[in-house]
Amino acid sequence: RFWKGLCKEVVCRIAMTRAYVKRRLTGKQTPVPCIRVPHIMVLPGEALHRILSAGTVRELVQYSSTSLHARSTGASILLEKTLHATLFINGCCDEVLLHVDAFLCHGLDSQILKMTFSLPSTVSISSQLVPLLLGLLPFGGALSLKVCTVLGLGELSTDVITTLSKWPLQTLDLAQLEEDDLSALCSLLTSDSMHLRVLRINNFCRDDPSPRRLAPILAALPASCVELQVHHALPLTRAFAGVPLSVQTLGTLVVMAEVFYHSRVVGMSLSRFAASFPSLPGVQNLQMVLGPGHYEEPTWPGAETLVDGLCKHFPALSCLRLEVLVESAMVPPVGAAAALLKEHGVEIIIDKIRLARGAGTEATLD
């Protein structure tokens, strides 16, 4: 069967050569004969390479199991690809987990592939991690892996900072940030190799989430950083006063609500927000917790006050993402605010709706 297929391939190549010569001599387009081969592996390496490149990683893995020739061809295809990895540090898992389905569905026409790994919190973030992850992947030895996203990072030891500074990080999500780790984070942000685009900090300085703790981070943010999420810093009016102009997405503001955060209360009244919040002309996307009232201002003064405050402090605002604490269908007045903001070209997206404390179960939001 092999020799029969090889002979057919030779005949096909002769026919293609004759057709090419004829086209050059006559200028006419002559159809090239199509000859079936008994098996895809009979094809020469160059033809096999072109065929497999049109498929997906899943198909490539399946073909590669048929022969050493196919595996070699598959490895040569992935040798030119770069794998951008997302590391999700999850204390609930006991071993490294691969979110392999999304990886296998990648088309091979893409130069960049993406992969997510779930890591237990016991895994060390070090230079040995990348080879470990590549060893878990099909054709791992042929791929170039770059860690671009780290989610849920809980520690910032010297070794971790050294490793992160060598990765082309785009997104860094911290599960917590203690006061002792502030200097380490700032040194990472100011390193020459750092081109971070997204910084998210959860459980920010639980013992002292004050503006003086946040100020060094704001000063150290690279110019490439376009998104900053902090949960939480207070008072909000002072904490975000130093947000650089490069930040286009900001969170999280708490208005007309009281969020309990490690024995403290985060939030401000609508009147205080409208009168005292700093102007941030670079922010285009804002995340906010919006509630039915604040102890300084138990009742809503009106949706117009919110809209005027947003337009005043965020003149470039185009999208407002809300977590809404509802007391009734009309409180807070999200519908009225959305209609007014639409006139200013601002879109409202409601990510989450929860009942405010003390609200009846019949409370709904239209």
PDB file of all heavy atoms in Angstrom, residues 2 5-6 8-9 12-13 35-52 67 69-70 73:
ATOM      1  N   PHE A   2       1.979   1.184   0.749  1.00  0.00           N
ATOM      2  CA  PHE A   2       2.870   2.343   0.807  1.00  0.00           C
ATOM      3  C   PHE A   2       3.451   2.644  -0.565  1.00  0.00           C
ATOM      4  O   PHE A   2       3.455   3.795  -1.029  1.00  0.00           O
ATOM      5  CB  PHE A   2       3.986   2.073   1.816  1.00  0.00           C
ATOM      6  CG  PHE A   2       5.054   3.138   1.810  1.00  0.00           C
ATOM      7  CD1 PHE A   2       4.853   4.333   2.487  1.00  0.00           C
ATOM      8  CD2 PHE A   2       6.239   2.952   1.122  1.00  0.00           C
ATOM      9  CE1 PHE A   2       5.821   5.312   2.477  1.00  0.00           C
ATOM     10  CE2 PHE A   2       7.196   3.936   1.111  1.00  0.00           C
ATOM     11  CZ  PHE A   2       7.003   5.114   1.785  1.00  0.00           C
ATOM     12  N   GLY A   5       0.889   3.968  -2.970  1.00  0.00           N
ATOM     13  CA  GLY A   5       0.605   5.380  -2.716  1.00  0.00           C
ATOM     14  C   GLY A   5       1.728   6.278  -3.185  1.00  0.00           C
ATOM     15  O   GLY A   5       1.499   7.368  -3.713  1.00  0.00           O
ATOM     16  N   LEU A   6       2.983   5.830  -2.970  1.00  0.00           N
ATOM     17  CA  LEU A   6       4.136   6.611  -3.393  1.00  0.00           C
ATOM     18  C   LEU A   6       4.161   6.786  -4.901  1.00  0.00           C
ATOM     19  O   LEU A   6       4.458   7.863  -5.437  1.00  0.00           O
ATOM     20  CB  LEU A   6       5.419   5.949  -2.896  1.00  0.00           C
ATOM     21  CG  LEU A   6       6.723   6.709  -3.156  1.00  0.00           C
ATOM     22  CD1 LEU A   6       6.676   8.079  -2.471  1.00  0.00           C
ATOM     23  CD2 LEU A   6       7.906   5.905  -2.663  1.00  0.00           C
ATOM     24  N   LYS A   8       1.587   6.739  -6.889  1.00  0.00           N
ATOM     25  CA  LYS A   8       0.527   7.684  -7.248  1.00  0.00           C
ATOM     26  C   LYS A   8       0.960   9.112  -6.990  1.00  0.00           C
ATOM     27  O   LYS A   8       0.622  10.026  -7.747  1.00  0.00           O
ATOM     28  CB  LYS A   8      -0.740   7.369  -6.455  1.00  0.00           C
ATOM     29  CG  LYS A   8      -1.447   6.103  -6.921  1.00  0.00           C
ATOM     30  CD  LYS A   8      -2.744   5.898  -6.135  1.00  0.00           C
ATOM     31  CE  LYS A   8      -3.490   4.659  -6.649  1.00  0.00           C
ATOM     32  NZ  LYS A   8      -4.750   4.449  -5.925  1.00  0.00           N
ATOM     33  N   GLU A   9       1.715   9.323  -5.907  1.00  0.00           N
ATOM     34  CA  GLU A   9       2.216  10.656  -5.604  1.00  0.00           C
ATOM     35  C   GLU A   9       3.173  11.131  -6.692  1.00  0.00           C
ATOM     36  O   GLU A   9       3.148  12.289  -7.112  1.00  0.00           O
ATOM     37  CB  GLU A   9       2.909  10.647  -4.243  1.00  0.00           C
ATOM     38  CG  GLU A   9       3.587  11.945  -3.855  1.00  0.00           C
ATOM     39  CD  GLU A   9       2.604  13.072  -3.663  1.00  0.00           C
ATOM     40  OE1 GLU A   9       1.410  12.792  -3.469  1.00  0.00           O
ATOM     41  OE2 GLU A   9       3.038  14.246  -3.708  1.00  0.00           O
ATOM     42  N   CYS A  12       1.198  12.072  -9.713  1.00  0.00           N
ATOM     43  CA  CYS A  12       0.522  13.349  -9.467  1.00  0.00           C
ATOM     44  C   CYS A  12       1.489  14.515  -9.646  1.00  0.00           C
ATOM     45  O   CYS A  12       1.148  15.524 -10.266  1.00  0.00           O
ATOM     46  CB  CYS A  12      -0.071  13.351  -8.064  1.00  0.00           C
ATOM     47  SG  CYS A  12      -0.961  14.881  -7.658  1.00  0.00           S
ATOM     48  N   ARG A  13       2.713  14.365  -9.142  1.00  0.00           N
ATOM     49  CA  ARG A  13       3.696  15.441  -9.263  1.00  0.00           C
ATOM     50  C   ARG A  13       4.090  15.650 -10.721  1.00  0.00           C
ATOM     51  O   ARG A  13       4.289  16.797 -11.173  1.00  0.00           O
ATOM     52  CB  ARG A  13       4.933  15.133  -8.422  1.00  0.00           C
ATOM     53  CG  ARG A  13       4.692  15.306  -6.924  1.00  0.00           C
ATOM     54  CD  ARG A  13       5.913  14.920  -6.118  1.00  0.00           C
ATOM     55  NE  ARG A  13       5.692  15.201  -4.702  1.00  0.00           N
ATOM     56  CZ  ARG A  13       6.015  16.348  -4.102  1.00  0.00           C
ATOM     57  NH1 ARG A  13       6.561  17.307  -4.804  1.00  0.00           N
ATOM     58  NH2 ARG A  13       5.790  16.530  -2.823  1.00  0.00           N
ATOM     59  N   ILE A  35      -5.620  13.160  -7.371  1.00  0.00           N
ATOM     60  CA  ILE A  35      -5.478  11.722  -7.189  1.00  0.00           C
ATOM     61  C   ILE A  35      -5.597  11.404  -5.708  1.00  0.00           C
ATOM     62  O   ILE A  35      -4.957  12.031  -4.868  1.00  0.00           O
ATOM     63  CB  ILE A  35      -4.114  11.237  -7.730  1.00  0.00           C
ATOM     64  CG1 ILE A  35      -4.018  11.527  -9.232  1.00  0.00           C
ATOM     65  CG2 ILE A  35      -3.926   9.749  -7.460  1.00  0.00           C
ATOM     66  CD1 ILE A  35      -2.690  11.148  -9.836  1.00  0.00           C
ATOM     67  N   ARG A  36      -6.428  10.438  -5.364  1.00  0.00           N
ATOM     68  CA  ARG A  36      -6.585  10.025  -3.977  1.00  0.00           C
ATOM     69  C   ARG A  36      -5.398   9.175  -3.537  1.00  0.00           C
ATOM     70  O   ARG A  36      -4.853   8.395  -4.304  1.00  0.00           O
ATOM     71  CB  ARG A  36      -7.864   9.213  -3.801  1.00  0.00           C
ATOM     72  CG  ARG A  36      -9.135  10.017  -4.013  1.00  0.00           C
ATOM     73  CD  ARG A  36     -10.345   9.158  -3.716  1.00  0.00           C
ATOM     74  NE  ARG A  36     -11.572   9.912  -3.846  1.00  0.00           N
ATOM     75  CZ  ARG A  36     -12.780   9.414  -3.599  1.00  0.00           C
ATOM     76  NH1 ARG A  36     -12.902   8.152  -3.207  1.00  0.00           N
ATOM     77  NH2 ARG A  36     -13.841  10.171  -3.742  1.00  0.00           N
ATOM     78  N   VAL A  37      -5.029   9.395  -2.287  1.00  0.00           N
ATOM     79  CA  VAL A  37      -3.973   8.565  -1.707  1.00  0.00           C
ATOM     80  C   VAL A  37      -4.604   7.702  -0.620  1.00  0.00           C
ATOM     81  O   VAL A  37      -5.598   8.094  -0.005  1.00  0.00           O
ATOM     82  CB  VAL A  37      -2.846   9.443  -1.125  1.00  0.00           C
ATOM     83  CG1 VAL A  37      -2.142  10.203  -2.215  1.00  0.00           C
ATOM     84  CG2 VAL A  37      -3.397  10.398  -0.086  1.00  0.00           C
ATOM     85  N   PRO A  38      -4.061   6.510  -0.348  1.00  0.00           N
ATOM     86  CA  PRO A  38      -4.698   5.593   0.589  1.00  0.00           C
ATOM     87  C   PRO A  38      -4.679   6.071   2.044  1.00  0.00           C
ATOM     88  O   PRO A  38      -5.529   5.690   2.829  1.00  0.00           O
ATOM     89  CB  PRO A  38      -3.886   4.305   0.425  1.00  0.00           C
ATOM     90  CG  PRO A  38      -2.562   4.756  -0.095  1.00  0.00           C
ATOM     91  CD  PRO A  38      -2.847   5.936  -0.959  1.00  0.00           C
ATOM     92  N   HIS A  39      -3.718   6.911   2.420  1.00  0.00           N
ATOM     93  CA  HIS A  39      -3.613   7.332   3.817  1.00  0.00           C
ATOM     94  C   HIS A  39      -2.893   8.671   3.862  1.00  0.00           C
ATOM     95  O   HIS A  39      -1.988   8.944   3.064  1.00  0.00           O
ATOM     96  CB  HIS A  39      -2.832   6.286   4.635  1.00  0.00           C
ATOM     97  CG  HIS A  39      -3.009   6.452   6.117  1.00  0.00           C
ATOM     98  ND1 HIS A  39      -2.276   7.359   6.836  1.00  0.00           N
ATOM     99  CD2 HIS A  39      -3.848   5.832   6.997  1.00  0.00           C
ATOM    100  CE1 HIS A  39      -2.640   7.295   8.108  1.00  0.00           C
ATOM    101  NE2 HIS A  39      -3.584   6.385   8.233  1.00  0.00           N
ATOM    102  N   ILE A  40      -3.279   9.520   4.813  1.00  0.00           N
ATOM    103  CA  ILE A  40      -2.688  10.853   4.886  1.00  0.00           C
ATOM    104  C   ILE A  40      -1.191  10.809   5.165  1.00  0.00           C
ATOM    105  O   ILE A  40      -0.444  11.680   4.740  1.00  0.00           O
ATOM    106  CB  ILE A  40      -3.417  11.681   5.965  1.00  0.00           C
ATOM    107  CG1 ILE A  40      -2.972  13.143   5.879  1.00  0.00           C
ATOM    108  CG2 ILE A  40      -3.175  11.128   7.364  1.00  0.00           C
ATOM    109  CD1 ILE A  40      -3.768  14.063   6.763  1.00  0.00           C
ATOM    110  N   MET A  41      -0.732   9.759   5.822  1.00  0.00           N
ATOM    111  CA  MET A  41       0.673   9.665   6.173  1.00  0.00           C
ATOM    112  C   MET A  41       1.566   9.394   4.964  1.00  0.00           C
ATOM    113  O   MET A  41       2.782   9.473   5.055  1.00  0.00           O
ATOM    114  CB  MET A  41       0.885   8.574   7.226  1.00  0.00           C
ATOM    115  CG  MET A  41       0.277   8.943   8.572  1.00  0.00           C
ATOM    116  SD  MET A  41       0.856  10.533   9.112  1.00  0.00           S
ATOM    117  CE  MET A  41      -0.665  11.285   9.622  1.00  0.00           C
ATOM    118  N   VAL A  42       0.958   9.045   3.808  1.00  0.00           N
ATOM    119  CA  VAL A  42       1.738   8.808   2.599  1.00  0.00           C
ATOM    120  C   VAL A  42       2.229  10.125   2.015  1.00  0.00           C
ATOM    121  O   VAL A  42       3.219  10.175   1.296  1.00  0.00           O
ATOM    122  CB  VAL A  42       0.872   8.039   1.567  1.00  0.00           C
ATOM    123  CG1 VAL A  42       1.618   7.856   0.257  1.00  0.00           C
ATOM    124  CG2 VAL A  42       0.497   6.688   2.145  1.00  0.00           C
ATOM    125  N   LEU A  43       1.545  11.195   2.335  1.00  0.00           N
ATOM    126  CA  LEU A  43       1.907  12.492   1.793  1.00  0.00           C
ATOM    127  C   LEU A  43       3.302  12.901   2.241  1.00  0.00           C
ATOM    128  O   LEU A  43       3.732  12.551   3.343  1.00  0.00           O
ATOM    129  CB  LEU A  43       0.898  13.550   2.230  1.00  0.00           C
ATOM    130  CG  LEU A  43      -0.522  13.388   1.698  1.00  0.00           C
ATOM    131  CD1 LEU A  43      -1.431  14.428   2.337  1.00  0.00           C
ATOM    132  CD2 LEU A  43      -0.551  13.527   0.178  1.00  0.00           C
ATOM    133  N   PRO A  44       4.003  13.667   1.405  1.00  0.00           N
ATOM    134  CA  PRO A  44       5.318  14.180   1.828  1.00  0.00           C
ATOM    135  C   PRO A  44       5.160  15.162   2.979  1.00  0.00           C
ATOM    136  O   PRO A  44       4.085  15.720   3.208  1.00  0.00           O
ATOM    137  CB  PRO A  44       5.847  14.863   0.558  1.00  0.00           C
ATOM    138  CG  PRO A  44       4.644  15.159  -0.260  1.00  0.00           C
ATOM    139  CD  PRO A  44       3.667  14.064   0.032  1.00  0.00           C
ATOM    140  N   GLY A  45       6.266  15.407   3.677  1.00  0.00           N
ATOM    141  CA  GLY A  45       6.207  16.229   4.873  1.00  0.00           C
ATOM    142  C   GLY A  45       5.648  17.618   4.641  1.00  0.00           C
ATOM    143  O   GLY A  45       4.866  18.131   5.444  1.00  0.00           O
ATOM    144  N   GLU A  46       6.021  18.258   3.525  1.00  0.00           N
ATOM    145  CA  GLU A  46       5.558  19.615   3.258  1.00  0.00           C
ATOM    146  C   GLU A  46       4.046  19.660   3.077  1.00  0.00           C
ATOM    147  O   GLU A  46       3.366  20.546   3.620  1.00  0.00           O
ATOM    148  CB  GLU A  46       6.246  20.166   2.014  1.00  0.00           C
ATOM    149  CG  GLU A  46       5.867  21.600   1.688  1.00  0.00           C
ATOM    150  CD  GLU A  46       6.560  22.099   0.431  1.00  0.00           C
ATOM    151  OE1 GLU A  46       7.422  21.375  -0.104  1.00  0.00           O
ATOM    152  OE2 GLU A  46       6.227  23.208  -0.009  1.00  0.00           O
ATOM    153  N   ALA A  47       3.490  18.702   2.336  1.00  0.00           N
ATOM    154  CA  ALA A  47       2.041  18.660   2.126  1.00  0.00           C
ATOM    155  C   ALA A  47       1.307  18.353   3.431  1.00  0.00           C
ATOM    156  O   ALA A  47       0.271  18.940   3.729  1.00  0.00           O
ATOM    157  CB  ALA A  47       1.698  17.612   1.067  1.00  0.00           C
ATOM    158  N   LEU A  48       1.855  17.419   4.208  1.00  0.00           N
ATOM    159  CA  LEU A  48       1.243  17.075   5.490  1.00  0.00           C
ATOM    160  C   LEU A  48       1.250  18.281   6.438  1.00  0.00           C
ATOM    161  O   LEU A  48       0.284  18.534   7.153  1.00  0.00           O
ATOM    162  CB  LEU A  48       1.993  15.900   6.119  1.00  0.00           C
ATOM    163  CG  LEU A  48       1.450  15.357   7.443  1.00  0.00           C
ATOM    164  CD1 LEU A  48       0.021  14.889   7.278  1.00  0.00           C
ATOM    165  CD2 LEU A  48       2.328  14.227   7.967  1.00  0.00           C
ATOM    166  N   HIS A  49       2.330  19.030   6.387  1.00  0.00           N
ATOM    167  CA  HIS A  49       2.450  20.221   7.228  1.00  0.00           C
ATOM    168  C   HIS A  49       1.346  21.224   6.898  1.00  0.00           C
ATOM    169  O   HIS A  49       0.705  21.794   7.787  1.00  0.00           O
ATOM    170  CB  HIS A  49       3.830  20.846   7.010  1.00  0.00           C
ATOM    171  CG  HIS A  49       4.180  21.924   7.985  1.00  0.00           C
ATOM    172  ND1 HIS A  49       3.622  23.187   7.944  1.00  0.00           N
ATOM    173  CD2 HIS A  49       5.041  21.932   9.042  1.00  0.00           C
ATOM    174  CE1 HIS A  49       4.118  23.919   8.900  1.00  0.00           C
ATOM    175  NE2 HIS A  49       4.975  23.185   9.595  1.00  0.00           N
ATOM    176  N   ARG A  50       1.086  21.437   5.606  1.00  0.00           N
ATOM    177  CA  ARG A  50       0.061  22.404   5.194  1.00  0.00           C
ATOM    178  C   ARG A  50      -1.331  21.926   5.597  1.00  0.00           C
ATOM    179  O   ARG A  50      -2.184  22.713   6.020  1.00  0.00           O
ATOM    180  CB  ARG A  50       0.112  22.623   3.680  1.00  0.00           C
ATOM    181  CG  ARG A  50       1.311  23.425   3.212  1.00  0.00           C
ATOM    182  CD  ARG A  50       1.080  23.974   1.823  1.00  0.00           C
ATOM    183  NE  ARG A  50       0.803  22.927   0.856  1.00  0.00           N
ATOM    184  CZ  ARG A  50       1.724  22.299   0.126  1.00  0.00           C
ATOM    185  NH1 ARG A  50       2.996  22.643   0.283  1.00  0.00           N
ATOM    186  NH2 ARG A  50       1.404  21.367  -0.726  1.00  0.00           N
ATOM    187  N   ILE A  51      -1.589  20.624   5.478  1.00  0.00           N
ATOM    188  CA  ILE A  51      -2.906  20.084   5.821  1.00  0.00           C
ATOM    189  C   ILE A  51      -3.177  20.215   7.313  1.00  0.00           C
ATOM    190  O   ILE A  51      -4.223  20.695   7.741  1.00  0.00           O
ATOM    191  CB  ILE A  51      -3.011  18.612   5.388  1.00  0.00           C
ATOM    192  CG1 ILE A  51      -3.014  18.509   3.861  1.00  0.00           C
ATOM    193  CG2 ILE A  51      -4.276  17.967   5.952  1.00  0.00           C
ATOM    194  CD1 ILE A  51      -2.941  17.093   3.332  1.00  0.00           C
ATOM    195  N   LEU A  52      -2.216  19.811   8.118  1.00  0.00           N
ATOM    196  CA  LEU A  52      -2.424  19.848   9.561  1.00  0.00           C
ATOM    197  C   LEU A  52      -2.497  21.279  10.082  1.00  0.00           C
ATOM    198  O   LEU A  52      -3.195  21.552  11.060  1.00  0.00           O
ATOM    199  CB  LEU A  52      -1.291  19.089  10.265  1.00  0.00           C
ATOM    200  CG  LEU A  52      -1.212  17.587   9.977  1.00  0.00           C
ATOM    201  CD1 LEU A  52      -0.083  16.973  10.783  1.00  0.00           C
ATOM    202  CD2 LEU A  52      -2.518  16.886  10.278  1.00  0.00           C
ATOM    203  N   SER A  67       1.806   7.976  13.883  1.00  0.00           N
ATOM    204  CA  SER A  67       3.155   7.564  13.494  1.00  0.00           C
ATOM    205  C   SER A  67       4.176   8.562  14.003  1.00  0.00           C
ATOM    206  O   SER A  67       3.835   9.687  14.380  1.00  0.00           O
ATOM    207  CB  SER A  67       3.272   7.451  11.965  1.00  0.00           C
ATOM    208  OG  SER A  67       3.252   8.735  11.376  1.00  0.00           O
ATOM    209  N   HIS A  69       6.371   9.893  12.099  1.00  0.00           N
ATOM    210  CA  HIS A  69       6.422  10.916  11.059  1.00  0.00           C
ATOM    211  C   HIS A  69       5.406  12.019  11.340  1.00  0.00           C
ATOM    212  O   HIS A  69       5.714  13.214  11.249  1.00  0.00           O
ATOM    213  CB  HIS A  69       6.132  10.262   9.701  1.00  0.00           C
ATOM    214  CG  HIS A  69       5.984  11.224   8.565  1.00  0.00           C
ATOM    215  ND1 HIS A  69       6.924  12.180   8.275  1.00  0.00           N
ATOM    216  CD2 HIS A  69       4.987  11.377   7.648  1.00  0.00           C
ATOM    217  CE1 HIS A  69       6.525  12.884   7.227  1.00  0.00           C
ATOM    218  NE2 HIS A  69       5.352  12.418   6.835  1.00  0.00           N
ATOM    219  N   ALA A  70       4.191  11.621  11.723  1.00  0.00           N
ATOM    220  CA  ALA A  70       3.148  12.597  12.016  1.00  0.00           C
ATOM    221  C   ALA A  70       3.489  13.398  13.274  1.00  0.00           C
ATOM    222  O   ALA A  70       3.237  14.609  13.337  1.00  0.00           O
ATOM    223  CB  ALA A  70       1.805  11.897  12.195  1.00  0.00           C
ATOM    224  N   THR A  73       6.035  15.974  12.401  1.00  0.00           N
ATOM    225  CA  THR A  73       5.419  17.074  11.661  1.00  0.00           C
ATOM    226  C   THR A  73       4.621  17.975  12.596  1.00  0.00           C
ATOM    227  O   THR A  73       4.673  19.200  12.503  1.00  0.00           O
ATOM    228  CB  THR A  73       4.498  16.528  10.563  1.00  0.00           C
ATOM    229  OG1 THR A  73       5.255  15.684   9.690  1.00  0.00           O
ATOM    230  CG2 THR A  73       3.875  17.646   9.758  1.00  0.00           C
TER     231      THR A  73
END
